Amino acid sequence: MSNNNIEKNIRILSLLLAIVLLLVSGFKKHRVLTTSDNTLPGNTNQPLLYVTNVNEFLMTEYATYSGIQKDEKGNLIIKTNKAGFLSETSSSINQTSSDKQACPT
Amino acid sequence: MHAKRFIVLIVSLILLHSSWGPQFKFLCNPVLACHGCALSWFACPIGVFIHYSGWHSFPFLAIGTVLLVGVLIGRLLCGWICPFGFLQEILYKIPTPKFELPRWTAAIKYPILFFLVFYFPYKFGELTMFSFCRICPAGTLESAIPAYITSGFPQSIFSILLRLGALLIVLFLVIGNNRSFCKIICPIGTILGILNKIAFWQVPKPQTQCISCKKCDKACPTSISPSTKFSKQIPVNRDINCILCYECVYSCPETDQIDKKRR
């Protein structure tokens, strides 16, 4: 097989792989624990934990503002307020607020 | 810089970094633009890779997007959209002594990609100090410095020094050597550069024998010596550092040499 044919085949295979990855991302769900942020006013001291399936698009968006953290047991955790909305302090689990400013990512 | 590319770079800089624009943070735009910037429309693939490595998850969407873009157009976005690449070309115009980088520096980008984007975040978590985001010059300019101005400096003096030190080194490099960050550091450029080798998009080859005037070599911002590729009838963008800016094509005096239909 000539070099041109090898290159062509790799190109087509890479394109197919990219399409497969994008298709999988459309269905992929991540198991994430959601917890109420007891640091917010009005929330109880006992954090509630429940399992949420988060799709790939939302996971990518969470990655842009550290919306999800990994705990010591390896679980992915989202912190929400009492109403279930994402807490603005979600990225403060392992960071102080000043650290968060230092690295917005 | 060709006027057409200059206009596209200016327009994309304004369009992709404007507060009135839509928020597509669930999609990756494969150029070095920090998603921590309040004006950014898209997610940075490197930032997403780092977080997914920390989460021990596979970034199907980010990898799929980068792979798709890379296979279709290679590093075209580096030359026509990337705001940090644009800044480098502007800074290079500052009249200072210019220098060449040693050959071995071309290999620096591979360990940077492997260790600072995937391995260290996987090992120590996405918030580790040993991740590319901590030294990313685009992140420092677009997100960290505005955050320092609006919210004050963080307590960790080490992180400030690391960020600003890395930025100063990169600025010194790009003033003396055009697009040196793209050539020796940029992790997105490294991934897309590898995909340049197989990309569908090709910079057109000359139709007749190259006259070796070397004007394309002088015009090339990444110094990949397009004349040698042209003389061997190899598409220029098969080089890992080619950003498909088309400066070689635009500078060619033998306009008939290059198939204009494919410009």
Side-chain angles (χ1 to χ4, degrees):
Chain A
M1 200 185 287
S2 72
N3 278 349
N4 272 349
N5 275 343
I6 294 171
E7 191 183 306
K8 202 173 166 183
N9 290 341
I10 294 173
R11 189 181 300 153
I12 304 265
L13 283 174
S14 305
L15 183 66
L16 288 173
L17 178 64
I19 292 167
V20 168
L21 288 173
L22 290 174
L23 283 174
V24 171
S25 72
F27 300 101
K28 175 79 180 161
K29 297 263 192 259
H30 297 263
R31 187 179 168 277
V32 178
L33 292 175
T34 301
T35 174
S36 61
D37 187 348
N38 56 14
T39 60
L40 291 176
N43 281 6
T44 58
N45 287 329
Q46 190 63 45
L48 296 168
L49 272 175
Y50 50 96
V51 177
T52 320
N53 285 321
V54 177
N55 68 39
E56 183 73 15
F57 290 90
L58 204 50
M59 282 289 280
T60 305
E61 198 172 334
Y62 284 141
T64 65
Y65 54 91
S66 300
I68 293 180
Q69 305 276 304
K70 206 174 174 79
D71 69 3
E72 313 81 55
K73 292 173 190 168
N75 297 315
L76 296 175
I77 291 194
I78 308 176
K79 271 195 168 186
T80 65
N81 62 17
K82 203 174 185 183
F85 295 112
L86 265 179
S87 158
E88 285 184 4
T89 58
S90 58
S91 60
S92 64
I93 292 175
N94 293 327
Q95 284 180 297
T96 62
S97 58
S98 54
D99 284 340
K100 200 172 76 176
Q101 287 157 6
C103 178
T105 56
Chain B
M1 191 187 299
H2 195 267
K4 199 194 283 184
R5 194 162 70 92
F6 183 78
I7 292 166
V8 173
L9 280 164
I10 288 275
V11 170
S12 60
L13 175 69
I14 296 166
L15 277 181
L16 298 178
H17 296 86
S18 44
S19 56
W20 51 266
Q23 290 285 309
F24 295 129
K25 292 277 173 84
F26 53 88
L27 286 177
C28 292
N29 182 22
V31 294
L32 202 71
C34 185
H35 53 217
C37 171
L39 303 178
S40 177
W41 288 12
F42 294 99
C44 167
I46 295 304
V48 172
F49 291 159
I50 286 171
H51 276 82
Y52 270 80
S53 299
W55 298 338
H56 296 189
S57 296
F58 187 83
F60 287 96
L61 185 61
I63 296 258
T65 311
V66 172
L67 190 59
L68 184 71
V69 171
V71 171
L72 291 178
I73 58 175
R75 288 186 76 169
L76 187 78
L77 298 184
C78 297
W80 292 80
I81 302 287
C82 182
F84 197 69
F86 184 37
L87 176 71
Q88 289 177 69
E89 289 191 45
I90 299 287
L91 289 176
Y92 184 69
K93 293 190 187 299
I94 296 172
T96 53
K98 307 300 176 191
F99 53 83
E100 287 297 313
L101 294 168
R103 256 176 191 277
W104 60 264
T105 54
I108 294 174
K109 54 184 176 276
Y110 301 108
I112 285 180
L113 174 67
F114 178 73
F115 288 107
L116 296 186
V117 177
F118 295 107
Y119 184 72
F120 289 144
Y122 183 87
K123 198 88 177 156
F124 305 117
E126 71 275 17
L127 299 174
T128 176
M129 285 302 293
F130 307 107
S131 79
F132 185 77
C133 284
R134 300 287 181 180
I135 55 163
C136 177
T140 306
L141 282 174
E142 293 174 15
S143 303
I145 290 178
Y148 295 160
I149 294 167
T150 55
S151 317
F153 287 97
Q155 287 169 337
S156 166
I157 192 82
F158 178 69
S159 74
I160 306 171
L161 289 176
L162 190 68
R163 274 190 172 280
L164 297 180
L167 177 67
L168 285 177
I169 291 168
V170 168
L171 292 182
F172 168 76
L173 282 175
V174 300
I175 289 171
N177 188 291
N178 201 2
R179 289 260 186 177
S180 45
F181 177 81
C182 304
K183 288 185 277 190
I184 64 170
I185 299 171
C186 184
I188 304 177
T190 307
I191 299 171
L192 294 177
I194 294 165
L195 295 169
N196 250 358
K197 303 260 181 207
I198 53 162
F200 280 91
W201 192 294
Q202 288 184 11
V203 174
K205 289 181 274 189
Q207 298 298 298
T208 55
Q209 193 64 38
C210 172
I211 59 165
S212 300
C213 66
K214 308 276 183 192
K215 285 193 176 175
C216 50
D217 292 354
K218 285 176 195 152
C220 180
T222 51
S223 319
I224 58 167
S225 170
S227 64
T228 51
K229 311 268 184 322
F230 282 148
S231 60
K232 289 177 188 166
Q233 292 285 307
I234 302 168
V236 180
N237 63 308
R238 289 296 175 250
D239 191 292
I240 201 164
N241 285 327
C242 179
I243 53 167
L244 291 92
C245 62
Y246 280 62
E247 294 293 340
C248 51
V249 176
Y250 294 134
S251 65
C252 184
E254 301 290 309
T255 46
D256 290 338
Q257 278 195 333
I258 294 169
D259 182 10
K260 281 187 158 179
K261 282 185 286 183
R262 297 191 62 189
R263 282 187 187 185

